[in-house]
Amino acid sequence: MRSSRNIAKWLIITLIMAIGIGTFAALTVRNEKQKEETEAKSSTYLTNQRQKDIDMKELKTLLGDFDAESGQWQLMIDEDHEDKGPYMSVLDAGSGFEGRIMYLKKGIVIVEIDQDLYRGMPEGWEPEGKGKYAILDYALTDGGIRLGYRGNEIDFAAASE
């Protein structure tokens, strides 16, 4: 009689442990799935705060590759670059910057500069926020974009294929 009670106690203890382990495993798997779903994919990237900070209609009018009319600089604005969301690069042969677009509304664009890819800015342009951001003015022109920093502007025309 005593041994059957001990066996019953051990079975109950084993059952409780199995339920606990199963619950812990299920919660862990659920958390991993949630992390994967909320990583910086364009669909989730723009559902957060940046959806409020980026005028998507305005962004669509700016998308593409552009060459500076002076011929030195190249501009690229992409809606979803490497699953990072809206992205801008301003490059020439030896210098330039690029990064995620953090804000784009009412003629102002703010780019979070990718520090690993930063090689300088056009003459008269300076990064803001301890070198972390490019805060630029923009305007659509006939067949292109005018991009500037505090009055130092560069006119870009749509790149020829």
Side-chain angles (χ1 to χ4, degrees), residues 121-142:
M121 297 184 106
E123 187 175 332
W125 292 19
E126 295 293 329
E128 302 280 344
K130 297 182 182 178
K132 294 182 181 181
Y133 302 99
I135 302 174
L136 307 170
D137 299 319
Y138 70 88
L140 288 173
T141 60
D142 291 334

PDB file of all heavy atoms in Angstrom, residues 121-142:
ATOM      1  N   MET A 121      30.376  64.721 -46.304  1.00  0.00           N
ATOM      2  CA  MET A 121      29.185  65.335 -46.879  1.00  0.00           C
ATOM      3  C   MET A 121      29.608  66.353 -47.927  1.00  0.00           C
ATOM      4  O   MET A 121      30.761  66.777 -47.945  1.00  0.00           O
ATOM      5  CB  MET A 121      28.362  66.007 -45.786  1.00  0.00           C
ATOM      6  CG  MET A 121      27.832  65.046 -44.737  1.00  0.00           C
ATOM      7  SD  MET A 121      26.794  65.855 -43.536  1.00  0.00           S
ATOM      8  CE  MET A 121      25.200  65.266 -44.064  1.00  0.00           C
ATOM      9  N   PRO A 122      28.680  66.762 -48.776  1.00  0.00           N
ATOM     10  CA  PRO A 122      29.005  67.806 -49.748  1.00  0.00           C
ATOM     11  C   PRO A 122      29.483  69.084 -49.037  1.00  0.00           C
ATOM     12  O   PRO A 122      29.160  69.320 -47.874  1.00  0.00           O
ATOM     13  CB  PRO A 122      27.671  68.048 -50.467  1.00  0.00           C
ATOM     14  CG  PRO A 122      26.927  66.762 -50.327  1.00  0.00           C
ATOM     15  CD  PRO A 122      27.320  66.236 -48.980  1.00  0.00           C
ATOM     16  N   GLU A 123      30.228  69.883 -49.767  1.00  0.00           N
ATOM     17  CA  GLU A 123      30.777  71.123 -49.200  1.00  0.00           C
ATOM     18  C   GLU A 123      29.656  72.004 -48.659  1.00  0.00           C
ATOM     19  O   GLU A 123      28.637  72.222 -49.305  1.00  0.00           O
ATOM     20  CB  GLU A 123      31.556  71.889 -50.271  1.00  0.00           C
ATOM     21  CG  GLU A 123      32.281  73.091 -49.716  1.00  0.00           C
ATOM     22  CD  GLU A 123      33.132  73.768 -50.767  1.00  0.00           C
ATOM     23  OE1 GLU A 123      33.579  73.090 -51.713  1.00  0.00           O
ATOM     24  OE2 GLU A 123      33.346  74.969 -50.617  1.00  0.00           O
ATOM     25  N   GLY A 124      29.836  72.480 -47.431  1.00  0.00           N
ATOM     26  CA  GLY A 124      28.857  73.342 -46.786  1.00  0.00           C
ATOM     27  C   GLY A 124      27.796  72.588 -45.997  1.00  0.00           C
ATOM     28  O   GLY A 124      26.986  73.196 -45.321  1.00  0.00           O
ATOM     29  N   TRP A 125      27.767  71.276 -46.073  1.00  0.00           N
ATOM     30  CA  TRP A 125      26.812  70.456 -45.333  1.00  0.00           C
ATOM     31  C   TRP A 125      27.495  69.901 -44.089  1.00  0.00           C
ATOM     32  O   TRP A 125      28.690  69.573 -44.115  1.00  0.00           O
ATOM     33  CB  TRP A 125      26.314  69.294 -46.171  1.00  0.00           C
ATOM     34  CG  TRP A 125      25.452  69.663 -47.340  1.00  0.00           C
ATOM     35  CD1 TRP A 125      25.342  70.885 -47.947  1.00  0.00           C
ATOM     36  CD2 TRP A 125      24.601  68.790 -48.058  1.00  0.00           C
ATOM     37  NE1 TRP A 125      24.472  70.820 -48.998  1.00  0.00           N
ATOM     38  CE2 TRP A 125      23.995  69.536 -49.089  1.00  0.00           C
ATOM     39  CE3 TRP A 125      24.280  67.449 -47.947  1.00  0.00           C
ATOM     40  CZ2 TRP A 125      23.093  68.984 -49.988  1.00  0.00           C
ATOM     41  CZ3 TRP A 125      23.395  66.904 -48.843  1.00  0.00           C
ATOM     42  CH2 TRP A 125      22.799  67.663 -49.852  1.00  0.00           C
ATOM     43  N   GLU A 126      26.766  69.791 -43.016  1.00  0.00           N
ATOM     44  CA  GLU A 126      27.308  69.248 -41.766  1.00  0.00           C
ATOM     45  C   GLU A 126      26.293  68.274 -41.155  1.00  0.00           C
ATOM     46  O   GLU A 126      25.101  68.532 -41.185  1.00  0.00           O
ATOM     47  CB  GLU A 126      27.569  70.373 -40.748  1.00  0.00           C
ATOM     48  CG  GLU A 126      28.642  71.352 -41.158  1.00  0.00           C
ATOM     49  CD  GLU A 126      30.025  70.748 -41.197  1.00  0.00           C
ATOM     50  OE1 GLU A 126      30.305  69.818 -40.411  1.00  0.00           O
ATOM     51  OE2 GLU A 126      30.824  71.192 -42.037  1.00  0.00           O
ATOM     52  N   PRO A 127      26.774  67.205 -40.545  1.00  0.00           N
ATOM     53  CA  PRO A 127      25.856  66.326 -39.816  1.00  0.00           C
ATOM     54  C   PRO A 127      25.435  66.994 -38.496  1.00  0.00           C
ATOM     55  O   PRO A 127      26.172  67.816 -37.953  1.00  0.00           O
ATOM     56  CB  PRO A 127      26.680  65.062 -39.565  1.00  0.00           C
ATOM     57  CG  PRO A 127      28.097  65.489 -39.670  1.00  0.00           C
ATOM     58  CD  PRO A 127      28.139  66.680 -40.574  1.00  0.00           C
ATOM     59  N   GLU A 128      24.282  66.619 -38.007  1.00  0.00           N
ATOM     60  CA  GLU A 128      23.750  67.158 -36.753  1.00  0.00           C
ATOM     61  C   GLU A 128      23.730  66.061 -35.690  1.00  0.00           C
ATOM     62  O   GLU A 128      23.941  64.892 -35.988  1.00  0.00           O
ATOM     63  CB  GLU A 128      22.323  67.681 -36.970  1.00  0.00           C
ATOM     64  CG  GLU A 128      22.193  68.750 -38.029  1.00  0.00           C
ATOM     65  CD  GLU A 128      22.594  70.132 -37.548  1.00  0.00           C
ATOM     66  OE1 GLU A 128      22.694  70.335 -36.323  1.00  0.00           O
ATOM     67  OE2 GLU A 128      22.813  71.003 -38.399  1.00  0.00           O
ATOM     68  N   GLY A 129      23.458  66.450 -34.454  1.00  0.00           N
ATOM     69  CA  GLY A 129      23.300  65.466 -33.381  1.00  0.00           C
ATOM     70  C   GLY A 129      24.525  64.614 -33.170  1.00  0.00           C
ATOM     71  O   GLY A 129      24.439  63.391 -33.205  1.00  0.00           O
ATOM     72  N   LYS A 130      25.676  65.265 -32.992  1.00  0.00           N
ATOM     73  CA  LYS A 130      26.952  64.569 -32.786  1.00  0.00           C
ATOM     74  C   LYS A 130      27.280  63.628 -33.945  1.00  0.00           C
ATOM     75  O   LYS A 130      27.798  62.536 -33.756  1.00  0.00           O
ATOM     76  CB  LYS A 130      26.947  63.814 -31.462  1.00  0.00           C
ATOM     77  CG  LYS A 130      26.804  64.713 -30.256  1.00  0.00           C
ATOM     78  CD  LYS A 130      26.846  63.945 -28.965  1.00  0.00           C
ATOM     79  CE  LYS A 130      26.646  64.892 -27.794  1.00  0.00           C
ATOM     80  NZ  LYS A 130      26.632  64.225 -26.510  1.00  0.00           N
ATOM     81  N   GLY A 131      26.938  64.063 -35.151  1.00  0.00           N
ATOM     82  CA  GLY A 131      27.275  63.307 -36.346  1.00  0.00           C
ATOM     83  C   GLY A 131      26.342  62.166 -36.676  1.00  0.00           C
ATOM     84  O   GLY A 131      26.616  61.374 -37.568  1.00  0.00           O
ATOM     85  N   LYS A 132      25.206  62.079 -35.985  1.00  0.00           N
ATOM     86  CA  LYS A 132      24.305  60.948 -36.190  1.00  0.00           C
ATOM     87  C   LYS A 132      23.232  61.200 -37.240  1.00  0.00           C
ATOM     88  O   LYS A 132      22.662  60.259 -37.769  1.00  0.00           O
ATOM     89  CB  LYS A 132      23.633  60.578 -34.871  1.00  0.00           C
ATOM     90  CG  LYS A 132      24.603  60.044 -33.840  1.00  0.00           C
ATOM     91  CD  LYS A 132      23.887  59.655 -32.581  1.00  0.00           C
ATOM     92  CE  LYS A 132      24.883  59.142 -31.551  1.00  0.00           C
ATOM     93  NZ  LYS A 132      24.224  58.728 -30.326  1.00  0.00           N
ATOM     94  N   TYR A 133      22.930  62.465 -37.546  1.00  0.00           N
ATOM     95  CA  TYR A 133      21.806  62.764 -38.429  1.00  0.00           C
ATOM     96  C   TYR A 133      22.173  63.783 -39.496  1.00  0.00           C
ATOM     97  O   TYR A 133      22.940  64.701 -39.249  1.00  0.00           O
ATOM     98  CB  TYR A 133      20.616  63.312 -37.622  1.00  0.00           C
ATOM     99  CG  TYR A 133      20.162  62.368 -36.548  1.00  0.00           C
ATOM    100  CD1 TYR A 133      20.558  62.550 -35.224  1.00  0.00           C
ATOM    101  CD2 TYR A 133      19.365  61.278 -36.855  1.00  0.00           C
ATOM    102  CE1 TYR A 133      20.156  61.663 -34.238  1.00  0.00           C
ATOM    103  CE2 TYR A 133      18.960  60.391 -35.878  1.00  0.00           C
ATOM    104  CZ  TYR A 133      19.355  60.592 -34.569  1.00  0.00           C
ATOM    105  OH  TYR A 133      18.964  59.714 -33.603  1.00  0.00           O
ATOM    106  N   ALA A 134      21.568  63.612 -40.665  1.00  0.00           N
ATOM    107  CA  ALA A 134      21.619  64.625 -41.714  1.00  0.00           C
ATOM    108  C   ALA A 134      20.214  65.226 -41.763  1.00  0.00           C
ATOM    109  O   ALA A 134      19.240  64.507 -42.003  1.00  0.00           O
ATOM    110  CB  ALA A 134      21.979  63.993 -43.046  1.00  0.00           C
ATOM    111  N   ILE A 135      20.122  66.524 -41.498  1.00  0.00           N
ATOM    112  CA  ILE A 135      18.838  67.216 -41.536  1.00  0.00           C
ATOM    113  C   ILE A 135      18.878  68.138 -42.743  1.00  0.00           C
ATOM    114  O   ILE A 135      19.624  69.118 -42.766  1.00  0.00           O
ATOM    115  CB  ILE A 135      18.582  67.995 -40.232  1.00  0.00           C
ATOM    116  CG1 ILE A 135      18.623  67.037 -39.040  1.00  0.00           C
ATOM    117  CG2 ILE A 135      17.254  68.734 -40.306  1.00  0.00           C
ATOM    118  CD1 ILE A 135      18.524  67.704 -37.687  1.00  0.00           C
ATOM    119  N   LEU A 136      18.082  67.805 -43.760  1.00  0.00           N
ATOM    120  CA  LEU A 136      18.161  68.473 -45.048  1.00  0.00           C
ATOM    121  C   LEU A 136      16.799  69.003 -45.482  1.00  0.00           C
ATOM    122  O   LEU A 136      15.757  68.457 -45.106  1.00  0.00           O
ATOM    123  CB  LEU A 136      18.675  67.485 -46.105  1.00  0.00           C
ATOM    124  CG  LEU A 136      19.993  66.767 -45.774  1.00  0.00           C
ATOM    125  CD1 LEU A 136      20.247  65.658 -46.770  1.00  0.00           C
ATOM    126  CD2 LEU A 136      21.142  67.752 -45.733  1.00  0.00           C
ATOM    127  N   ASP A 137      16.843  70.043 -46.296  1.00  0.00           N
ATOM    128  CA  ASP A 137      15.646  70.557 -46.958  1.00  0.00           C
ATOM    129  C   ASP A 137      15.564  69.875 -48.319  1.00  0.00           C
ATOM    130  O   ASP A 137      16.585  69.581 -48.941  1.00  0.00           O
ATOM    131  CB  ASP A 137      15.759  72.067 -47.184  1.00  0.00           C
ATOM    132  CG  ASP A 137      15.907  72.833 -45.879  1.00  0.00           C
ATOM    133  OD1 ASP A 137      15.225  72.480 -44.905  1.00  0.00           O
ATOM    134  OD2 ASP A 137      16.716  73.783 -45.850  1.00  0.00           O
ATOM    135  N   TYR A 138      14.338  69.662 -48.794  1.00  0.00           N
ATOM    136  CA  TYR A 138      14.173  69.112 -50.146  1.00  0.00           C
ATOM    137  C   TYR A 138      12.996  69.796 -50.821  1.00  0.00           C
ATOM    138  O   TYR A 138      12.085  70.303 -50.178  1.00  0.00           O
ATOM    139  CB  TYR A 138      13.969  67.600 -50.125  1.00  0.00           C
ATOM    140  CG  TYR A 138      12.630  67.170 -49.566  1.00  0.00           C
ATOM    141  CD1 TYR A 138      11.517  67.051 -50.395  1.00  0.00           C
ATOM    142  CD2 TYR A 138      12.475  66.892 -48.220  1.00  0.00           C
ATOM    143  CE1 TYR A 138      10.295  66.671 -49.889  1.00  0.00           C
ATOM    144  CE2 TYR A 138      11.254  66.516 -47.701  1.00  0.00           C
ATOM    145  CZ  TYR A 138      10.163  66.400 -48.541  1.00  0.00           C
ATOM    146  OH  TYR A 138       8.941  66.026 -48.031  1.00  0.00           O
ATOM    147  N   ALA A 139      13.064  69.803 -52.138  1.00  0.00           N
ATOM    148  CA  ALA A 139      11.966  70.322 -52.956  1.00  0.00           C
ATOM    149  C   ALA A 139      12.006  69.609 -54.299  1.00  0.00           C
ATOM    150  O   ALA A 139      13.091  69.342 -54.838  1.00  0.00           O
ATOM    151  CB  ALA A 139      12.106  71.828 -53.154  1.00  0.00           C
ATOM    152  N   LEU A 140      10.829  69.301 -54.815  1.00  0.00           N
ATOM    153  CA  LEU A 140      10.757  68.724 -56.157  1.00  0.00           C
ATOM    154  C   LEU A 140      11.010  69.819 -57.183  1.00  0.00           C
ATOM    155  O   LEU A 140      10.561  70.954 -57.018  1.00  0.00           O
ATOM    156  CB  LEU A 140       9.377  68.118 -56.392  1.00  0.00           C
ATOM    157  CG  LEU A 140       9.079  66.832 -55.633  1.00  0.00           C
ATOM    158  CD1 LEU A 140       7.626  66.425 -55.821  1.00  0.00           C
ATOM    159  CD2 LEU A 140       9.996  65.714 -56.077  1.00  0.00           C
ATOM    160  N   THR A 141      11.769  69.487 -58.213  1.00  0.00           N
ATOM    161  CA  THR A 141      12.017  70.413 -59.318  1.00  0.00           C
ATOM    162  C   THR A 141      11.544  69.732 -60.601  1.00  0.00           C
ATOM    163  O   THR A 141      11.120  68.576 -60.565  1.00  0.00           O
ATOM    164  CB  THR A 141      13.516  70.752 -59.419  1.00  0.00           C
ATOM    165  OG1 THR A 141      14.248  69.548 -59.657  1.00  0.00           O
ATOM    166  CG2 THR A 141      14.029  71.419 -58.146  1.00  0.00           C
ATOM    167  N   ASP A 142      11.631  70.422 -61.706  1.00  0.00           N
ATOM    168  CA  ASP A 142      11.247  69.804 -62.977  1.00  0.00           C
ATOM    169  C   ASP A 142      12.198  68.642 -63.267  1.00  0.00           C
ATOM    170  O   ASP A 142      13.363  68.846 -63.595  1.00  0.00           O
ATOM    171  CB  ASP A 142      11.312  70.820 -64.122  1.00  0.00           C
ATOM    172  CG  ASP A 142      10.226  71.877 -64.000  1.00  0.00           C
ATOM    173  OD1 ASP A 142       9.188  71.578 -63.380  1.00  0.00           O
ATOM    174  OD2 ASP A 142      10.429  73.000 -64.501  1.00  0.00           O
TER     175      ASP A 142
END
